[in-house]
């Protein structure tokens, strides 16, 4: 007689924090939108945070040249020396703080750098303060690393900046680091100099690290003065700056990011890269050198166009009865308030996808603090944005 055996209950065997992981909202909505497109529906994509312009030709050609020259081998886990030097020069120039290549680590995208930095810093039970609503990876990486997420709200009346009074109240002896994101996702907020100074002062006083997500650092509007937390006294030795190439240079699929941090930590992050991804693709890194050292006219041109699209979308949203929308100071997202319709944000987003064929995200995809809001990525063509606003207006009028 053959003995019947059964395998383990896999879900019960998976680490609890990993088992509780959920897909990022943007990818979930994108998949659903793609299915609707297969059914023949004309979808307007306002969900995924991806520029609508291609990678600049000079960058693409640099990548192709590297491939043609056989630059496809393993490379140092911390990144090739030439790119680390280019990043050190770039950060030194744009942040006004001297950075050496030994303080740089290169990763296949900014997300792995956020994740590995969290793994490097946290021990079981350590607290991390982060913005809510905020990029959904923040909470996930904190929990997977065994930390305790401590959300701090954004204040709509203050341009969706962090509630600094609340931040100062929740810092505790268990706080390991404070996570800031400026310009921010999902609301396009830009931290003020006063807020940054308060964060820096708090970090020095309480002896905590800062993880500064600056992926949108080149995407600031209206000639506003962008400043990094690195600019403040005593912050270089307690800050991990994370940035990348995806947004500014439309290199989302190239997977190229970096971190700037104290040299000892950069070395340890290099070891984590060794044991997780090995290294970042060599030819991609040569494309990154061209991105930083090549012409920047394309960046300025695209920011001018994004500002025009921002103004178009914000004006159009504010013309819809029951909708109000702040003007974003950076990134390429609008965060309209829609609580007047009395419908949960996720249900309203589903309604607009199915009835208006407009793919966007509920504010709750970025945390409980996003209830009552929607997130719109306006990196699309002006005609499609106009049509999208018209569809949203028509669909919401049926609810009101």
């Amino acid at each position: 007689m053959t003995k019947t055996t059964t395998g383990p209950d896999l879900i019960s065997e998976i680490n609890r924090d990993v088992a509780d992981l959920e897909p990022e909202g943007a990818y979930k909505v994108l998949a659903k939108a793609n299915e609707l497109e297969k059914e023949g529906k004309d979808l307007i994509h306002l969900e995924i945070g991806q520029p609508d312009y291609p990678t600049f030709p000079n960058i693409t050609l640099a990548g192709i040249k590297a491939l043609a020259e056989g630059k496809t081998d393993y490379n140092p886990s911390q990144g090739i020396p030439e790119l680390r030097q280019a990043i050190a020069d770039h950060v030194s120039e744009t942040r006004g703080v001297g950075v050496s290549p030994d303080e740089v680590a290169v990763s296949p995208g900014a997300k792995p750098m956020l994740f590995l930095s969290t793994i490097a810093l946290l021990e079981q039970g350590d607290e991390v303060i982060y913005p809510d609503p905020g990029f959904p990876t923040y909470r996930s990486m904190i929990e997977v690393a065994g930390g305790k997420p401590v959300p701090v709200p954004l204040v709509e009346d203050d341009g969706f900046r962090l509630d600094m009074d609340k931040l100062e109240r929740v810092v505790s002896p268990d706080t390991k680091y404070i996570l800031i994101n400026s310009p921010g996702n999902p609301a396009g907020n830009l931290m003020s100099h006063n807020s940054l100074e308060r964060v820096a002062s708090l970090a020095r006083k309480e002896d905590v690290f800062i993880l500064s997500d600056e992926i949108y650092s080149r995407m600031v509007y209206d000639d506003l003065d962008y400043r990094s937390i690195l600019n403040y006294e005593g912050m270089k030795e307690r800050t991990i700056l994370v940035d990348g190439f995806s947004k500014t240079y439309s290199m989302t699929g190239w997977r190229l990011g970096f971190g700037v941090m104290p040299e000892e930590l950069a070395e340890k992050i290099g070891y984590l890269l060794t044991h997780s991804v090995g290294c970042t693709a060599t030819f991609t890194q040569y494309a990154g050198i061209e991105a930083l050292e090549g012409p920047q006219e394309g960046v300025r041109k695209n920011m001018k166009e994004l500002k025009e699209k921002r103004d178009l979308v914000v004006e159009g949203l504010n013309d819809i009865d029951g909708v109000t929308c702040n003007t974003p100071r950076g990134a390429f997202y609008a965060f309209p308030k829609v609580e007047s319709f009395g419908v949960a944000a996720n249900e309203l987003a589903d309604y607009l996808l199915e009835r208006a064929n407009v793919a966007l995200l509920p504010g709750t995809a970025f945390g409980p603090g996003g209830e009552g809001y929607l997130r719109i990525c306006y990196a699309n063509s002006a005609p499609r944005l106009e049509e999208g606003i018209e569809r949203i207006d028509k669909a919401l009028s049926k609810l009101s």
Side-chain angles (χ1 to χ4, degrees):
M1 177 182 252
T2 303
K3 185 177 180 180
T4 302
T5 60
T6 58
D9 178 356
L10 286 180
I11 294 300
S12 68
E13 297 293 327
I14 294 174
N15 176 295
R16 182 186 64 187
D17 293 323
V18 174
D20 289 341
L21 279 176
E22 296 182 356
E24 186 181 326
Y27 290 98
K28 186 176 180 180
V29 174
L30 176 62
K32 190 172 181 180
N34 288 340
E35 288 300 316
L36 291 173
E37 284 180 314
K38 290 178 182 177
E39 297 173 7
K41 294 187 177 180
D42 175 30
L43 264 290
I44 296 179
H45 290 275
L46 307 178
E47 78 284 27
I48 197 80
Q50 176 163 283
D52 65 325
Y53 48 88
T55 305
F56 302 138
N58 62 304
I59 298 172
T60 300
L61 288 173
I64 293 171
K65 181 174 181 286
L67 281 167
E69 292 175 348
K71 293 186 170 107
T72 57
D73 297 332
Y74 289 127
N75 65 78
S77 295
Q78 210 170 317
I80 62 173
E82 299 92 332
L83 178 58
R84 288 166 62 197
Q85 182 66 63
I87 291 169
D89 293 342
H90 168 74
V91 173
S92 298
E93 179 183 353
T94 57
R95 274 69 167 190
V97 178
V99 172
S100 79
D102 291 334
E103 296 169 318
V104 175
V106 177
S107 56
K111 271 185 183 178
M113 187 57 64
L114 290 168
F115 236 105
L116 295 180
S117 298
T118 299
I119 291 171
L121 289 179
L122 292 193
E123 295 187 22
Q124 195 71 29
D126 283 343
E127 293 181 354
V128 177
I129 298 170
Y130 71 104
D132 176 20
F135 186 44
T137 293
Y138 298 155
R139 185 180 186 97
S140 295
M141 70 189 189
I142 295 164
E143 291 178 333
V144 168
K148 178 184 177 183
V150 180
V152 169
L154 305 181
V155 182
E156 181 179 14
D157 292 342
D158 190 29
F160 287 108
R161 289 174 174 145
L162 272 175
D163 185 333
M164 291 303 303
D165 293 336
K166 177 69 179 293
L167 173 62
E168 290 169 347
R169 288 196 301 271
V170 299
V171 171
S172 79
D174 292 326
T175 302
K176 193 58 174 280
Y177 75 77
I178 299 168
L179 196 158
I180 58 176
N181 175 214
S182 175
N185 177 15
N189 49 299
L190 184 68
M191 291 186 72
S192 67
H193 298 332
N194 177 260
S195 293
L196 286 167
E197 180 57 67
R198 288 175 71 178
V199 171
S201 177
L202 189 63
R204 293 191 298 265
K205 177 184 175 183
E206 302 295 338
D207 193 25
V208 299
F209 257 84
I210 301 296
L211 182 56
S212 184
D213 182 352
E214 303 185 11
I215 191 68
Y216 299 102
S217 61
R218 302 283 296 279
M219 294 185 161
V220 178
Y221 302 106
D222 306 317
D223 297 321
L224 292 173
D225 183 17
Y226 174 76
R227 189 173 295 186
S228 168
I229 193 75
L230 279 186
N231 288 115
Y232 295 84
E233 181 183 352
M235 294 312 298
K236 185 180 176 184
E237 57 263 33
R238 63 175 70 253
T239 297
I240 301 174
L241 180 158
V242 176
D243 202 340
F245 297 76
S246 291
K247 312 300 182 180
T248 302
Y249 299 105
S250 193
M251 294 176 68
T252 52
W254 292 78
R255 308 316 303 138
L256 187 61
F258 63 86
V260 174
M261 64 203 76
E263 184 177 336
E264 290 180 68
L265 183 55
E267 182 181 9
K268 297 301 181 184
I269 291 292
Y271 298 159
L272 284 172
L273 286 161
T274 298
H275 294 296
S276 57
V277 298
C279 61
T280 304
T282 309
F283 62 89
T284 294
Q285 295 188 59
Y286 279 95
I289 295 170
E290 176 63 22
L292 293 178
E293 297 183 347
Q296 302 297 306
E297 286 81 4
V299 176
R300 292 186 281 271
K301 175 179 178 291
N302 289 331
M303 281 307 299
K304 180 181 178 182
E305 292 177 357
L306 279 172
K307 180 182 181 299
E308 294 170 355
K309 294 172 182 180
R310 177 202 69 173
D311 295 343
L312 181 158
V313 166
V314 170
E315 181 179 357
L317 289 169
N318 282 315
D319 284 342
I320 299 174
D321 288 340
V323 177
T324 59
C325 185
N326 277 13
T327 300
R329 297 180 171 97
F332 42 44
Y333 307 113
F335 203 56
K337 190 173 187 177
V338 290
E339 65 178 9
S340 66
F341 295 95
V343 179
N346 65 317
E347 294 178 9
L348 192 58
D350 285 343
Y351 170 77
L352 291 171
L353 177 62
E354 294 167 3
R355 300 296 182 88
N357 292 330
V358 175
L360 42 69
L361 299 182
T364 45
F366 302 88
E371 186 58 80
Y373 297 89
L374 299 172
R375 196 206 72 172
I376 289 172
C377 176
Y378 50 81
N380 205 326
S381 70
R384 294 297 276 174
L385 291 172
E386 290 176 343
E387 184 175 352
I389 296 297
E390 290 176 5
R391 292 186 188 184
I392 292 170
D393 187 7
K394 183 176 180 180
L396 291 181
S397 68
K398 297 177 181 178
L399 292 177
S400 60

